[in-house]
Amino acid sequence: MKKPFDLHADYQPESFEFNKTFKKAVKEAIARYPKGRQQSAVMPLLDLTQRQVAEEGAKQHPPYGGWVPRAAMDHIAEVLGMHKVKVYEVASFYSMYNTAPVGKYLVQCCTTTPCWLRGSDKIVEATKKHLGIGMGETTDDGKFSLMEVECLGACVNAPMVQINDDYYEDLTPQNMMEVLDNLSQDMQATVGSQTGRRDSMPSSDPTTMKDRAKKAKVV
Ligand code: FES
């Protein structure tokens, strides 16, 4: 996963087309922009590509996750009437687009300062050990890929990871293993705080607005 952006690698498929369901979503995404500004839909179209590839990949053996093949970028350029290189630039700039194959579950570990101060090193080490892979690698069964990312904006419940579209917060090496074990059996893991903390409230009792917290039944 996250192999160097290689437009000519042997994992690149020959062609790409949006399927019926995604064609509808593509049309809707383009229609959101004013006439003559349709190229602004490049980001939603890259995202839809990744989602279609993920859906198809999840049914394969070994499974794989969402990524954006070069053929899809070429197709998007054609649909939006823009130069191919402009689509390559967007896809290769933003970290949310995977420009090479990834596992069915892409584990993005935040290691920026707040997560690091709250123990992200231990989460990363435990995850590597549990999955038997290093950063930038994919498990042999195609289920998991691991990557390191910068702050994902959930510092209040650090340490955290993002797996596909979901955030898993208040992690310990133990509850992280439970999340991975559930996903390895394609079972839904508990999303959000793993300690039951509601939103970003203090990990102990509320320290302010206690009456309101009581009224809202969060204590
Ligand atoms: S530092 Fe990890 S979410 Fe912000």
Side-chain angles (χ1 to χ4, degrees):
M1 64 145 287
K2 285 282 161 188
K3 295 168 190 150
F5 185 31
D6 185 348
L7 298 175
H8 305 289
D10 53 10
Y11 52 76
Q12 296 283 356
E14 290 287 310
S15 60
F16 175 87
E17 282 242 355
F18 286 108
N19 64 29
K20 208 173 151 200
T21 318
F22 280 86
K23 260 186 191 154
K24 192 168 168 266
V26 164
K27 225 172 146 190
E28 286 166 6
I30 295 173
R32 276 186 223 132
Y33 298 93
K35 209 166 186 281
R37 296 282 185 272
Q38 282 73 17
Q39 292 182 0
S40 302
V42 63
M43 292 186 75
L45 263 56
L46 286 166
D47 179 66
L48 288 167
T49 299
Q50 204 157 263
R51 290 177 191 282
Q52 177 176 315
V53 172
E55 262 187 36
E56 289 164 358
K59 296 174 202 147
Q60 305 296 319
H61 296 284
Y64 56 86
W67 68 288
V68 186
R70 196 245 347 244
M73 294 184 228
D74 294 348
H75 182 59
I76 291 171
E78 203 184 318
V79 170
L80 297 178
M82 59 199 289
H83 290 297
K84 290 177 185 177
V85 71
K86 294 258 178 201
V87 184
Y88 301 165
E89 281 170 4
V90 176
S92 57
F93 179 79
Y94 292 100
S95 64
M96 76 274 262
Y97 301 123
N98 304 308
T99 50
V102 294
K104 182 175 179 183
Y105 299 107
L106 175 59
V107 183
Q108 301 182 67
C109 300
C110 174
T111 55
T112 305
T113 314
C115 280
W116 175 67
L117 287 170
R118 296 269 296 163
S120 64
D121 279 357
K122 285 190 184 138
I123 305 302
V124 169
E125 277 323 301
T127 304
K128 281 181 177 172
K129 200 170 161 203
H130 196 67
L131 298 178
I133 54 173
M135 281 298 169
E137 293 177 355
T138 299
T139 53
D140 288 342
D141 63 2
K143 280 264 173 96
F144 293 95
S145 288
L146 195 54
M147 79 187 261
E148 188 172 10
V149 290
E150 299 300 329
C151 179
L152 290 169
C155 328
V156 284
N157 291 354
M160 60 79 68
V161 300
Q162 179 178 355
I163 305 179
N164 295 353
D165 284 339
D166 295 319
Y167 277 17
Y168 298 86
E169 304 156 1
D170 289 325
L171 292 170
T172 61
Q174 292 71 31
N175 60 34
M176 181 68 191
M177 297 311 100
E178 283 167 29
V179 169
L180 295 174
D181 285 342
N182 279 329
L183 294 177
S184 70
Q185 295 169 57
D186 294 323
M187 282 161 49
Q188 178 60 56
T190 305
V191 170
S193 171
Q194 301 299 302
T195 57
R197 176 159 36 158
R198 183 158 162 176
D199 301 323
S200 54
M201 68 184 283
S203 51
S204 58
D205 286 340
T207 52
T208 57
M209 301 175 79
K210 292 183 177 179
D211 294 348
R212 292 195 181 205
K214 215 168 181 178
K215 219 168 159 186
K217 297 193 174 79
V218 294
V219 285

